């Protein structure tokens, strides 16, 4: 006689939540497997495999508790444990292959196959562990569909989780993988055909688990997953804080180094208004000593003295803001103003190297949100790099063009174009990597720090070859929606 089972809806929902929760925890741990080396690699691999395997196992048996039959059912201890081991082995193989170096697609496919078969092996072994007055058989078509669901969705989830570093995609991957586990389970359960034999006398030849200890075991694994997630989140927070501090320190050191390179030209820039101010002050004294004193001329000279003093103070203020070590700030700022200040600060260095500078700053650009000093550091680095790149070309062709505008998505676009010797194609791929440099004696940190700053502001930076000589470095920055909304309402 064929038996039609029913399901407890609350336990079905719980099983899906357990699958998604375990998937997110395991993928979070699995992301560290690819970054770790040596013994640490094996520790993260084991943690991810245990978490994912235990999560798959827990989901399955929560769903089995939701599976209601009109007769008591227990589970063989040995096969139940084996189902857990198979789930852990399958997921460990998956995370191992996805974290290996080499071509991405073969690793992804192999990893998806391991994850899918781990889910399948756990499920059908767990089903075989059922003990009671019921016999199981399977519909081959639904079994085949469960295989497709398990492998296909697992591969898609791994592609989402490991294809990029976007946290949103990791969450999406956890949802996909959670539905892969749940979908495979309930597809496999649809394939199961339960029949009651002629006699209900079943010999209990093996040790079995009833529903209560099984529920306790599931709760234990879920709590272990929760502890693993909290531990991973805490470590990630500590690591992110340390990384942010290190990047801030490196950025500060790099700013000070850049200002050191500009020391001579900056001194000239400061001395110019100070010297002019002294000359104007002397002229004012002479106008006052005249008989009779020429007050109008003296007033004009003193006015020019004040202007020269303010100009010198502005230059010194820009230097202090760039050199001072402060935590990053996110303020609404106008990118053209920030660029103009850096151009003024580097005017002496540009003139010393006989570089012609032109600016094409688009009017009416939206405000951006970011740290003024850090973004000016990016522009400063790009200008210095361009000037140094053009030092080896003839003086008449040293041209620097700084432009702003908007890209196709509405973001603010900044470009720095030089007429230097350019780069070979291989250099463009590694230009923003740490410790990669095309300059003799260079550290290879400037452009890497620029990329970190731009990406921390939600933007993107890249370089392209010019149609003629030289290269153009471009970066985009998202607009400040809140500031733009305030500006529109005020208008």
């Amino acid at each position: 006689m064929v038996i039609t089972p029913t399901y407890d809806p609350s336990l079905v929902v719980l099983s899906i939540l357990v699958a998604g929760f375990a998937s997110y925890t395991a993928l979070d741990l699995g992301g560290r497997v690819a970054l770790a080396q040596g013994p640490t690699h094996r520790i993260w691999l084991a943690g991810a495999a245990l978490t994912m395997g235990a999560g798959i196992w827990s989901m399955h048996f929560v769903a089995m508790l939701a599976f209601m039959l009109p007769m008591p059912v227990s589970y063989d201890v040995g096969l139940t444990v084996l189902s857990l081991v198979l789930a852990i082995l399958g997921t460990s193989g998956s995370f191992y292959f996805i974290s290996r170096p080499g071509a991405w697609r073969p690793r992804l496919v192999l990893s998806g196959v391991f994850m899918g078969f781990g889910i399948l092996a756990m499920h059908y072994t767990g089903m075989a562990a059922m003990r009671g007055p019921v016999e199981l058989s399977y519909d081959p078509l639904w079994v085949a569909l469960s295989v497709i669901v398990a492998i296909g969705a697992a591969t898609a989830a791994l592609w989402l989780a490991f294809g990029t570093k976007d946290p949103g995609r990791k969450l999406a991957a956890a949802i996909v993988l959670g539905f892969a586990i749940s979908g495979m389970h309930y597809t496999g359960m649809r394939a199961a055909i339960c029949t009651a034999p002629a006699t209900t006398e079943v010999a209990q030849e093996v040790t079995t688990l009833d529903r209560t200890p099984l529920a306790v075991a599931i709760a234990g694994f879920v709590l272990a997953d929760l502890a693993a997630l909290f531990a991973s989140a805490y470590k990630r927070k500590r690591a992110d804080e340390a990384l942010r501090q290190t990047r801030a320190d490196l950025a500060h050191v790099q700013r000070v180094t850049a200002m050191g390179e500009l020391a001579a030209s900056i001194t000239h820039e400061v001395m110019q208004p100070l010297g002019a101010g002294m000359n104007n002050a002397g002229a004012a004294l002479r106008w006052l000593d005249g008989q009779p004193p020429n007050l109008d001329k003296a007033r004009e000279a003193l006015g020019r003295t004040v202007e020269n003093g303010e100009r010198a103070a502005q230059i010194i203020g820009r230097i202090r803001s760039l050199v001072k070590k402060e935590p990053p700030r996110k303020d609404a700022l106008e990118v053209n103003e920030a660029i103009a200040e850096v151009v003024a600060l580097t005017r002496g260095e540009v003139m010393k190297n006989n570089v012609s500078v032109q600016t094409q700053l688009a009017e009416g650009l939206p405000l951006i949100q970011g740290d003024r000093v850090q973004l000016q550091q990016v522009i400063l680095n790009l200008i210095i790099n361009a000037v140094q790149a053009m030092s080896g070309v003839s003086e008449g062709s040293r041209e620097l063009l700084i432009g702003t505008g908007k890209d196709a998505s509405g973001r603010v676009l900044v470009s720095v174009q030089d007429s230097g010797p350019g780069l070979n194609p291989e250099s463009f791929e590694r230009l923003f990597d740490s410790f990669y440099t095309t300059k003799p004696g260079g550290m290879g940190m400037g452009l890497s720090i620029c990329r970190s700053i731009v990406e921390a502001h939600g933007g993107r930076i890249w370089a392209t070859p010019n149609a003629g000589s030289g290269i153009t470095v471009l970066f985009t920055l998202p607009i400040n929606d809140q500031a733009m909304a305030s500006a529109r309402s005020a208008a």
Side-chain angles (χ1 to χ4, degrees), residues 367 480-491:
L367 299 176
N480 183 353
D481 293 329
Q482 183 177 358
M484 291 302 298
S486 300
R488 284 194 296 268
S489 63

Side-chain angles (χ1 to χ4, degrees), residues 24 160-161 164-176:
Y24 184 86
L160 284 170
T164 67
K165 298 179 180 179
D166 184 3
R169 290 189 64 167
K170 182 187 292 184
L171 178 60
I175 295 172
V176 171

Side-chain angles (χ1 to χ4, degrees), residues 238-315:
R238 291 280 301 273
D240 289 346
E241 289 176 352
L243 181 60
R244 280 195 297 269
Q245 185 60 47
T246 301
R247 284 177 174 171
D249 292 341
L250 283 174
H252 178 250
V253 170
Q254 204 275 335
R255 283 201 303 273
V256 173
T257 303
M259 298 307 290
E261 294 178 9
L262 297 175
S265 58
I266 288 175
T267 301
H268 176 73
E269 285 295 305
V270 175
M271 291 302 295
Q272 262 193 332
L274 290 179
M278 292 175 64
N279 291 334
N280 283 310
L285 289 175
R286 288 192 296 273
W287 290 118
L288 291 173
D289 288 340
Q291 294 297 330
N294 193 330
L295 298 180
D296 291 337
K297 292 290 187 180
R299 188 177 292 107
E300 290 179 9
L302 290 173
R304 289 192 297 271
T305 301
V306 172
E307 291 176 0
N308 292 137
E310 290 177 347
R311 181 183 165 195
Q314 289 173 357
I315 295 171

